[in-house]
Amino acid sequence: MSRRIVIVGNGEIPQGVADWIDTADVIIRFNDCRSLGAGGSRTDVVAVCNTGRPGRRMIEDRSWRESPGVKAASAIWSVRDPVKFREMEEDIHRHWPELEDFCVDYSAEFAAIASETGKTHLVISRQVHEWLDEELKGLSPEPYVCPSTGLFAIRYMLDAIGEKDELTIAGFCHKGWSGHPFSVEKQLVDALVTQGKLKRLSSLSNFSVSEGA
């Protein structure tokens, strides 16, 4: 049986797609789930940046785990493999000394929150990170710290979905923190769309009634 999976980023969401998103079999959001509202009301998975200051803010802020999107989710995904980031730490400190706490890992704390709130917890494998680095390298990026949380989720799901499953993204503007290689990430995502491995939801006009529009 095929599934419709939607990954909803925190960028601009096309108007009128909230109900379509909510009818998906699996809905994945990020960090504080800012995509709620225009991007629908359901959440199944929250993919989090589990290292550095963003990770620390989420685990220390009680309101994060009690927010609607996080509370509704049945799973938390930590996208950064802690062993991989420990190996990267020396190089990051050399090139970006201001990121002194970037590799501090909070995946154990996210696992504890998941356990306390009846959710599953997953740490996305370092193989996903290494595949992304290799693919991005072919696009000649400027030096970057690591891929974005959204790209981790896309790559992980491309490996996890079944042959008949459909993977769609919405709210991906490919802009933000300068440590992510957003311009080449966009090129990679556009290539995946062109290859038919991924769909980008820009409006419902691109989706048939049978797909839930």
Side-chain angles (χ1 to χ4, degrees):
M1 186 175 179
S2 63
R3 299 177 299 165
R4 187 160 60 81
I5 301 149
V6 183
I7 304 177
V8 191
N10 288 325
E12 186 176 356
I13 307 289
Q15 291 186 349
V17 302
D19 290 344
W20 186 90
I21 291 172
D22 277 343
T23 61
D25 297 289
V26 180
I27 300 170
I28 301 164
R29 302 185 192 275
F30 300 100
N31 295 320
D32 56 1
C33 300
R34 282 181 284 136
S35 58
L36 284 170
S41 60
R42 282 186 45 231
T43 306
D44 297 296
V45 176
V46 180
V48 299
C49 170
N50 53 296
T51 73
R53 294 163 207 171
R56 180 178 178 180
R57 279 197 299 270
M58 283 182 278
I59 62 145
E60 291 183 348
D61 184 359
R62 186 80 191 181
S63 65
W64 175 80
R65 70 190 72 181
E66 295 172 353
S67 62
V70 176
K71 197 170 182 178
S74 59
I76 297 173
W77 293 353
S78 293
V79 304
R80 297 175 175 176
D81 182 285
V83 176
K84 174 71 174 176
F85 273 74
R86 280 199 297 272
E87 293 171 1
M88 293 166 55
E89 189 167 16
E90 183 177 347
D91 189 61
I92 288 174
H93 287 175
R94 184 185 311 114
H95 293 95
W96 296 278
E98 70 278 11
L99 300 179
E100 71 280 354
D101 56 351
F102 187 80
C103 295
V104 177
D105 175 58
Y106 298 101
S107 54
E109 287 82 354
F110 282 110
I113 291 171
S115 178
E116 291 167 9
T117 54
K119 309 179 195 304
T120 60
H121 177 255
L122 165 75
V123 177
I124 290 180
S125 165
R126 66 181 294 154
Q127 280 75 28
V128 172
H129 189 157
E130 289 163 0
W131 184 95
L132 289 173
D133 280 342
E134 190 63 26
E135 289 299 302
L136 292 168
K137 180 181 176 182
L139 298 171
S140 302
E142 296 293 323
Y144 66 92
V145 182
C146 70
S148 69
T149 305
L151 199 63
F152 274 109
I154 290 171
R155 181 65 251 174
Y156 175 77
M157 285 309 303
L158 285 172
D159 290 337
I161 59 176
E163 184 178 345
K164 295 184 179 180
D165 291 338
E166 176 186 283
L167 184 61
T168 301
I169 63 169
F172 277 71
C173 62
H174 306 290
K175 296 177 182 178
W177 182 54
S178 61
H180 298 318
F182 280 117
S183 62
V184 292
E185 286 194 9
K186 183 179 185 304
Q187 292 179 52
L188 178 57
V189 170
D190 286 346
L192 291 168
V193 172
T194 299
Q195 294 162 16
K197 296 178 180 179
L198 183 66
K199 292 187 176 183
R200 191 190 290 274
L201 180 59
S202 55
S203 73
L204 286 181
S205 63
N206 297 326
F207 290 80
S208 69
V209 173
S210 64
E211 292 171 317

